[in-house]
Amino acid sequence: MTRFEQFRLSLGVAPNILTRRLRALTRDGLLEKRRYCERPPRDEYVLTQAGRDFLPILHALAGWSARHCGGGLPMSRVEDVETGLPIDPVVIDRHTGVPLGERPLRLVQPEK
């Protein structure tokens, strides 16, 4: 989805609330507003690189919420398009491939 009406119908939120949210996501650099039609003027919202980089974090938070706070309403799930299987998001270290939280880590302060 990239268009205002698609977001509105999917999310079921009032137009003024959606406008505010899209404006904030654009201002914060997660979305970019692009004109796709001049007459009448129509815009779409596309992910920036920052937005694409945030998607794995968003999926990890949703996975954590489903595992630890899932007693409420059923949540939608994210599926792999090719396999049709639901994803089970984890955060891994790019260098070792090991999920974070499964090995000891330390916080190193920057040198002054």
Side-chain angles (χ1 to χ4, degrees):
M1 290 180 282
T2 61
R3 298 182 180 174
F4 186 91
E5 194 62 16
Q6 293 171 324
F7 288 129
R8 191 185 68 71
L9 292 173
S10 171
L11 299 170
V13 298
N16 61 324
I17 292 172
L18 179 57
T19 298
R20 222 174 325 152
R21 290 178 182 173
L22 289 171
R23 188 178 300 131
L25 290 167
T26 301
R27 180 194 65 230
D28 294 340
L30 295 164
L31 292 176
E32 178 182 331
K33 188 175 178 179
R34 289 189 193 157
R35 179 76 27 112
Y36 71 89
C37 182
E38 290 298 329
R39 291 190 186 166
R42 297 277 189 253
D43 298 315
E44 64 182 347
Y45 297 86
V46 295
L47 286 171
T48 62
Q49 185 61 51
R52 287 188 295 278
D53 289 346
F54 183 67
L55 282 178
I57 296 165
L58 186 61
H59 292 310
L61 284 170
W64 177 88
S65 177
R67 283 190 298 280
H68 299 286
C69 307
L73 297 172
M75 292 178 47
S76 56
R77 67 175 195 241
V78 178
E79 292 181 348
D80 183 294
V81 172
E82 292 179 16
T83 67
L85 297 172
I87 66 163
D88 183 17
V90 295
V91 179
I92 64 165
D93 172 53
R94 181 183 308 273
H95 301 289
T96 64
V98 175
L100 298 183
E102 293 189 5
R103 63 186 316 157
L105 303 173
R106 76 173 145 254
L107 184 63
V108 178
Q109 296 295 327
E111 296 184 27
K112 296 183 180 189

Short mmCIF file of all heavy atoms in Angstrom, two decimals, residues 9-41:
data_model
loop_
_atom_site.label_atom_id
_atom_site.label_comp_id
_atom_site.label_asym_id
_atom_site.label_seq_id
_atom_site.Cartn_x
_atom_site.Cartn_y
_atom_site.Cartn_z
N LEU A 9 -8.50 2.67 4.39
CA LEU A 9 -9.37 1.50 4.40
C LEU A 9 -8.76 0.33 5.17
O LEU A 9 -9.45 -0.36 5.91
CB LEU A 9 -9.68 1.07 2.96
CG LEU A 9 -10.56 2.03 2.16
CD1 LEU A 9 -10.65 1.59 0.70
CD2 LEU A 9 -11.94 2.13 2.78
N SER A 10 -7.46 0.13 5.01
CA SER A 10 -6.79 -0.97 5.69
C SER A 10 -6.74 -0.77 7.20
O SER A 10 -6.95 -1.71 7.97
CB SER A 10 -5.37 -1.11 5.14
OG SER A 10 -4.64 -2.02 5.91
N LEU A 11 -6.44 0.45 7.63
CA LEU A 11 -6.26 0.73 9.05
C LEU A 11 -7.54 1.07 9.77
O LEU A 11 -7.63 0.94 10.99
CB LEU A 11 -5.24 1.86 9.23
CG LEU A 11 -3.84 1.58 8.70
CD1 LEU A 11 -3.00 2.86 8.72
CD2 LEU A 11 -3.19 0.47 9.49
N GLY A 12 -8.52 1.58 9.04
CA GLY A 12 -9.78 1.94 9.66
C GLY A 12 -9.67 3.14 10.59
O GLY A 12 -10.38 3.19 11.60
N VAL A 13 -8.79 4.07 10.27
CA VAL A 13 -8.64 5.26 11.12
C VAL A 13 -9.26 6.46 10.42
O VAL A 13 -9.42 6.48 9.20
CB VAL A 13 -7.16 5.56 11.46
CG1 VAL A 13 -6.55 4.42 12.24
CG2 VAL A 13 -6.36 5.84 10.22
N ALA A 14 -9.59 7.47 11.22
CA ALA A 14 -10.16 8.69 10.68
C ALA A 14 -9.13 9.39 9.78
O ALA A 14 -7.93 9.34 10.06
CB ALA A 14 -10.59 9.61 11.81
N PRO A 15 -9.59 10.05 8.73
CA PRO A 15 -8.66 10.73 7.82
C PRO A 15 -7.73 11.72 8.50
O PRO A 15 -6.56 11.82 8.15
CB PRO A 15 -9.58 11.42 6.81
CG PRO A 15 -10.85 10.63 6.85
CD PRO A 15 -10.97 10.13 8.26
N ASN A 16 -8.24 12.47 9.47
CA ASN A 16 -7.39 13.47 10.14
C ASN A 16 -6.27 12.80 10.93
O ASN A 16 -5.15 13.30 10.97
CB ASN A 16 -8.20 14.40 11.03
CG ASN A 16 -8.92 13.67 12.14
OD1 ASN A 16 -9.39 12.54 11.97
ND2 ASN A 16 -9.06 14.32 13.28
N ILE A 17 -6.55 11.67 11.53
CA ILE A 17 -5.52 10.94 12.28
C ILE A 17 -4.49 10.36 11.31
O ILE A 17 -3.29 10.45 11.55
CB ILE A 17 -6.15 9.84 13.14
CG1 ILE A 17 -6.99 10.47 14.25
CG2 ILE A 17 -5.09 8.91 13.73
CD1 ILE A 17 -7.81 9.49 15.05
N LEU A 18 -4.95 9.79 10.21
CA LEU A 18 -4.03 9.23 9.21
C LEU A 18 -3.15 10.33 8.62
O LEU A 18 -1.95 10.14 8.46
CB LEU A 18 -4.81 8.51 8.11
CG LEU A 18 -3.96 7.90 7.00
CD1 LEU A 18 -2.94 6.92 7.56
CD2 LEU A 18 -4.86 7.23 5.98
N THR A 19 -3.74 11.48 8.34
CA THR A 19 -2.96 12.60 7.82
C THR A 19 -1.85 12.98 8.78
O THR A 19 -0.70 13.17 8.38
CB THR A 19 -3.87 13.82 7.56
OG1 THR A 19 -4.83 13.46 6.57
CG2 THR A 19 -3.09 15.04 7.11
N ARG A 20 -2.18 13.05 10.05
CA ARG A 20 -1.18 13.39 11.08
C ARG A 20 -0.06 12.34 11.13
O ARG A 20 1.12 12.67 11.22
CB ARG A 20 -1.87 13.50 12.43
CG ARG A 20 -1.39 14.65 13.25
CD ARG A 20 -2.16 14.85 14.53
NE ARG A 20 -3.58 14.52 14.34
CZ ARG A 20 -4.38 14.08 15.29
NH1 ARG A 20 -3.95 13.93 16.51
NH2 ARG A 20 -5.64 13.79 15.05
N ARG A 21 -0.44 11.09 11.09
CA ARG A 21 0.56 10.01 11.17
C ARG A 21 1.46 9.99 9.94
O ARG A 21 2.69 9.83 10.06
CB ARG A 21 -0.14 8.67 11.34
CG ARG A 21 -0.78 8.51 12.69
CD ARG A 21 -1.49 7.20 12.83
NE ARG A 21 -2.13 7.08 14.12
CZ ARG A 21 -2.94 6.09 14.45
NH1 ARG A 21 -3.19 5.13 13.58
NH2 ARG A 21 -3.50 6.05 15.64
N LEU A 22 0.88 10.14 8.76
CA LEU A 22 1.69 10.16 7.54
C LEU A 22 2.62 11.36 7.52
O LEU A 22 3.77 11.25 7.09
CB LEU A 22 0.79 10.15 6.30
CG LEU A 22 0.06 8.84 6.02
CD1 LEU A 22 -0.97 9.02 4.91
CD2 LEU A 22 1.03 7.72 5.69
N ARG A 23 2.13 12.50 8.00
CA ARG A 23 2.98 13.69 8.07
C ARG A 23 4.16 13.45 9.00
O ARG A 23 5.30 13.81 8.68
CB ARG A 23 2.16 14.88 8.55
CG ARG A 23 2.91 16.20 8.46
CD ARG A 23 2.07 17.39 8.90
NE ARG A 23 0.88 17.52 8.06
CZ ARG A 23 -0.36 17.68 8.52
NH1 ARG A 23 -0.59 17.74 9.81
NH2 ARG A 23 -1.37 17.79 7.70
N ALA A 24 3.92 12.82 10.14
CA ALA A 24 5.00 12.55 11.10
C ALA A 24 6.01 11.56 10.52
O ALA A 24 7.22 11.75 10.66
CB ALA A 24 4.42 12.02 12.41
N LEU A 25 5.53 10.50 9.87
CA LEU A 25 6.44 9.51 9.29
C LEU A 25 7.26 10.11 8.15
O LEU A 25 8.42 9.76 7.97
CB LEU A 25 5.65 8.30 8.79
CG LEU A 25 5.04 7.42 9.89
CD1 LEU A 25 4.02 6.45 9.30
CD2 LEU A 25 6.12 6.69 10.66
N THR A 26 6.66 11.04 7.42
CA THR A 26 7.39 11.74 6.36
C THR A 26 8.41 12.70 6.96
O THR A 26 9.57 12.73 6.55
CB THR A 26 6.39 12.50 5.45
OG1 THR A 26 5.48 11.54 4.90
CG2 THR A 26 7.11 13.21 4.32
N ARG A 27 7.98 13.46 7.95
CA ARG A 27 8.89 14.41 8.62
C ARG A 27 10.09 13.69 9.24
O ARG A 27 11.22 14.17 9.18
CB ARG A 27 8.12 15.17 9.71
CG ARG A 27 8.96 16.19 10.48
CD ARG A 27 8.28 16.67 11.75
NE ARG A 27 8.13 15.56 12.66
CZ ARG A 27 6.99 15.22 13.27
NH1 ARG A 27 5.89 15.90 13.09
NH2 ARG A 27 6.95 14.18 14.09
N ASP A 28 9.84 12.50 9.80
CA ASP A 28 10.91 11.76 10.47
C ASP A 28 11.75 10.92 9.51
O ASP A 28 12.65 10.21 9.94
CB ASP A 28 10.32 10.88 11.57
CG ASP A 28 9.71 11.70 12.70
OD1 ASP A 28 10.06 12.90 12.83
OD2 ASP A 28 8.87 11.15 13.45
N GLY A 29 11.44 10.98 8.22
CA GLY A 29 12.29 10.34 7.22
C GLY A 29 12.01 8.88 6.95
O GLY A 29 12.80 8.22 6.27
N LEU A 30 10.90 8.33 7.44
CA LEU A 30 10.58 6.92 7.17
C LEU A 30 9.80 6.75 5.87
O LEU A 30 9.90 5.71 5.22
CB LEU A 30 9.78 6.33 8.33
CG LEU A 30 10.56 6.26 9.64
CD1 LEU A 30 9.65 6.05 10.81
CD2 LEU A 30 11.61 5.19 9.57
N LEU A 31 9.04 7.78 5.50
CA LEU A 31 8.30 7.77 4.25
C LEU A 31 8.67 8.98 3.41
O LEU A 31 9.10 10.00 3.95
CB LEU A 31 6.78 7.83 4.51
CG LEU A 31 6.13 6.63 5.16
CD1 LEU A 31 4.65 6.91 5.41
CD2 LEU A 31 6.28 5.38 4.32
N GLU A 32 8.49 8.85 2.11
CA GLU A 32 8.67 9.97 1.20
C GLU A 32 7.36 10.15 0.44
O GLU A 32 6.76 9.18 -0.03
CB GLU A 32 9.80 9.66 0.22
CG GLU A 32 10.05 10.74 -0.80
CD GLU A 32 11.15 10.34 -1.76
OE1 GLU A 32 12.05 9.57 -1.37
OE2 GLU A 32 11.09 10.80 -2.91
N LYS A 33 6.90 11.38 0.35
CA LYS A 33 5.66 11.69 -0.36
C LYS A 33 6.01 12.00 -1.81
O LYS A 33 6.86 12.84 -2.08
CB LYS A 33 5.00 12.90 0.31
CG LYS A 33 3.64 13.23 -0.17
CD LYS A 33 3.10 14.38 0.70
CE LYS A 33 1.75 14.81 0.26
NZ LYS A 33 1.22 15.90 1.10
N ARG A 34 5.37 11.27 -2.74
CA ARG A 34 5.65 11.46 -4.17
C ARG A 34 4.34 11.69 -4.92
O ARG A 34 3.36 11.00 -4.69
CB ARG A 34 6.30 10.22 -4.76
CG ARG A 34 7.71 10.00 -4.31
CD ARG A 34 8.33 8.88 -5.11
NE ARG A 34 9.57 8.44 -4.50
CZ ARG A 34 10.11 7.26 -4.68
NH1 ARG A 34 9.51 6.38 -5.45
NH2 ARG A 34 11.24 6.94 -4.10
N ARG A 35 4.37 12.63 -5.83
CA ARG A 35 3.20 12.93 -6.66
C ARG A 35 3.09 11.88 -7.76
O ARG A 35 4.03 11.64 -8.50
CB ARG A 35 3.36 14.33 -7.23
CG ARG A 35 2.31 14.85 -8.14
CD ARG A 35 1.00 15.31 -7.57
NE ARG A 35 0.92 15.79 -6.25
CZ ARG A 35 0.68 17.05 -5.88
NH1 ARG A 35 0.51 17.98 -6.80
NH2 ARG A 35 0.56 17.38 -4.61
N TYR A 36 1.92 11.21 -7.85
CA TYR A 36 1.73 10.24 -8.93
C TYR A 36 0.67 10.70 -9.94
O TYR A 36 0.53 10.09 -11.00
CB TYR A 36 1.38 8.85 -8.38
CG TYR A 36 0.01 8.71 -7.78
CD1 TYR A 36 -1.09 8.37 -8.56
CD2 TYR A 36 -0.18 8.89 -6.42
CE1 TYR A 36 -2.34 8.22 -8.00
CE2 TYR A 36 -1.43 8.74 -5.86
CZ TYR A 36 -2.51 8.41 -6.65
OH TYR A 36 -3.75 8.26 -6.09
N CYS A 37 -0.05 11.78 -9.62
CA CYS A 37 -1.05 12.30 -10.54
C CYS A 37 -1.12 13.81 -10.36
O CYS A 37 -1.23 14.29 -9.23
CB CYS A 37 -2.40 11.65 -10.28
SG CYS A 37 -3.70 12.18 -11.41
N GLU A 38 -1.07 14.55 -11.47
CA GLU A 38 -1.13 16.01 -11.39
C GLU A 38 -2.56 16.53 -11.35
O GLU A 38 -2.84 17.51 -10.68
CB GLU A 38 -0.38 16.62 -12.58
CG GLU A 38 1.12 16.45 -12.51
CD GLU A 38 1.77 17.11 -11.31
OE1 GLU A 38 1.26 18.14 -10.83
OE2 GLU A 38 2.80 16.58 -10.85
N ARG A 39 -3.47 15.89 -12.10
CA ARG A 39 -4.86 16.37 -12.15
C ARG A 39 -5.80 15.21 -11.94
O ARG A 39 -5.89 14.37 -12.84
CB ARG A 39 -5.13 17.05 -13.48
CG ARG A 39 -4.38 18.33 -13.58
CD ARG A 39 -4.82 19.10 -14.75
NE ARG A 39 -3.92 20.27 -14.84
CZ ARG A 39 -3.82 21.03 -15.86
NH1 ARG A 39 -4.53 20.77 -16.93
NH2 ARG A 39 -3.01 22.05 -15.87
N PRO A 40 -6.47 15.13 -10.84
CA PRO A 40 -6.29 15.97 -9.65
C PRO A 40 -4.99 15.60 -8.95
O PRO A 40 -4.50 14.48 -9.12
CB PRO A 40 -7.51 15.62 -8.79
CG PRO A 40 -7.86 14.22 -9.17
CD PRO A 40 -7.49 14.09 -10.64
N PRO A 41 -4.44 16.53 -8.18
CA PRO A 41 -3.18 16.22 -7.50
C PRO A 41 -3.35 15.06 -6.52
O PRO A 41 -4.21 15.09 -5.66
CB PRO A 41 -2.81 17.51 -6.77
CG PRO A 41 -4.01 18.39 -6.84
CD PRO A 41 -4.94 17.85 -7.87
#
